[in-house]
């Protein structure tokens, strides 16, 4: 299981296999191929290389090593 923390060190999400869980233990997303779906099966995000896009094709986040940044370059969190 992987844990992702925000810039303050708080756990924000856990990854177990293809599923992502929030800090309360609720399953929130599932990764299938290069797409991320919510628990209702709705496609929410797409992985393209090191970037994450929404379903409209808008670039939202970038993964650099173990860290996640927004499109302005602000560090949001990291894999721990």
């Amino acid at each position: 299981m992987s844990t992702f923390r925000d810039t303050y060190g708080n756990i924000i999400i856990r990854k177990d296999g293809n599923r992502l869980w929030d800090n309360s233990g609720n399953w929130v997303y599932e990764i299938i191929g290069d797409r991320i779906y919510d628990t209702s099966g709705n496609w929410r995000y797409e992985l393209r290389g090191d970037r994450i896009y929404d379903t409209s094709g808008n670039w939202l986040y970038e993964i650099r090593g173990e860290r996640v940044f927004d499109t302005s370059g602000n560090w949001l969190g990291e894999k721990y």
Side-chain angles (χ1 to χ4, degrees):
M1 180 180 298
S2 300
T3 301
F4 295 86
R5 297 180 181 265
D6 65 14
T7 56
Y8 300 104
N10 301 310
I11 296 171
I12 53 172
I13 203 150
R14 297 175 195 272
K15 182 177 182 286
D16 188 11
N18 289 342
R19 290 190 173 183
L20 301 173
W21 306 80
D22 68 14
N23 197 29
S24 299
N26 301 306
W27 168 42
V28 289
Y29 296 109
E30 185 168 11
I31 302 170
I32 301 172
D34 60 352
R35 291 187 174 182
I36 301 172
Y37 297 86
D38 64 18
T39 57
S40 298
N42 299 308
W43 170 37
R44 295 292 181 192
Y45 305 102
E46 184 172 2
L47 301 167
R48 296 183 202 163
D50 292 337
R51 292 185 173 179
I52 299 171
Y53 293 81
D54 65 14
T55 56
S56 297
N58 299 305
W59 170 36
L60 302 174
Y61 308 107
E62 184 170 359
I63 302 165
R64 298 182 206 156
E66 299 291 317
R67 292 187 170 190
V68 178
F69 295 84
D70 65 14
T71 56
S72 297
N74 299 306
W75 173 39
L76 303 175
E78 68 183 316
K79 184 177 174 185
Y80 185 79

